[in-house]
């Protein structure tokens, strides 16, 4: 067993863009879960639309408010909201203030 404190994990750029740094808590080691991360996004950020062809992306909002575009849907999320983006679904988001979210991928087998 390993305990990881996110505060001590260095932030790196994510596929959501350079303005969305993430702290990768788990980068390998679990079958079908390619990565587990926390993103700390500064305010006034809007990401570019992208897809993940081979995985689901699972989000849990820790702090803040954001608007997500997932496929043809648009919705606002805030702390304690949970949602899943299916594979091959275009998605992006914007946030007026800072945003913290926990997210991970689940790869298709």
């Amino acid at each position: 067993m390993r305990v990881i404190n996110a505060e001590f994990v260095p932030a790196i750029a994510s596929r959501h863009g350079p303005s969305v740094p993430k702290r990768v808590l788990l980068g390998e080691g679990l079958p079908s879960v390619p990565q587990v991360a926390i993103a700390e996004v500064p305010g006034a950020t809007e990401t570019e639309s992208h897809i993940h062809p081979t995985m689901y992306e699972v989000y849990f909002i820790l702090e803040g408010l954001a608007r997500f575009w997932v496929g043809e849907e648009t919705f606002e999320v805030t702390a304690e909201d949970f949602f899943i983006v299916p594979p091959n679904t275009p998605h992006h988001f914007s946030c007026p203030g800072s945003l913290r979210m926990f997210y991970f991928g689940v790869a298709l087998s």
Side-chain angles (χ1 to χ4, degrees):
M1 184 171 131
R2 188 170 93 178
V3 176
I4 300 167
N5 185 309
E7 181 180 346
F8 300 107
V9 176
I12 61 173
S14 73
R15 282 192 59 171
H16 293 276
S19 62
V20 182
K22 66 181 175 182
R23 297 176 189 276
V24 177
L25 304 175
L26 178 67
E28 57 185 44
L30 288 178
S32 301
V33 179
Q35 189 175 94
V36 175
I38 291 178
E40 297 168 340
V41 185
T45 295
E46 182 162 350
T47 64
E48 292 188 23
S49 184
H50 65 283
I51 64 168
H52 302 284
T54 61
M55 74 174 194
Y56 290 86
E57 198 163 35
V58 180
Y59 290 89
F60 183 76
I61 305 303
L62 299 169
E63 298 173 7
L65 170 73
R67 173 170 286 152
F68 269 78
W69 290 265
V70 178
E72 300 295 318
E73 295 183 75
T74 302
F75 54 96
E76 288 191 355
V77 295
T78 190
E80 304 293 316
D81 285 343
F82 169 86
F83 60 98
I84 299 171
V85 176
N88 282 315
T89 304
H91 60 285
H92 70 283
F93 69 91
S94 67
C95 55
S98 62
L99 176 72
R100 287 186 74 234
M101 59 188 175
F102 174 79
Y103 68 106
F104 61 94
V106 178
L108 300 173
S109 27

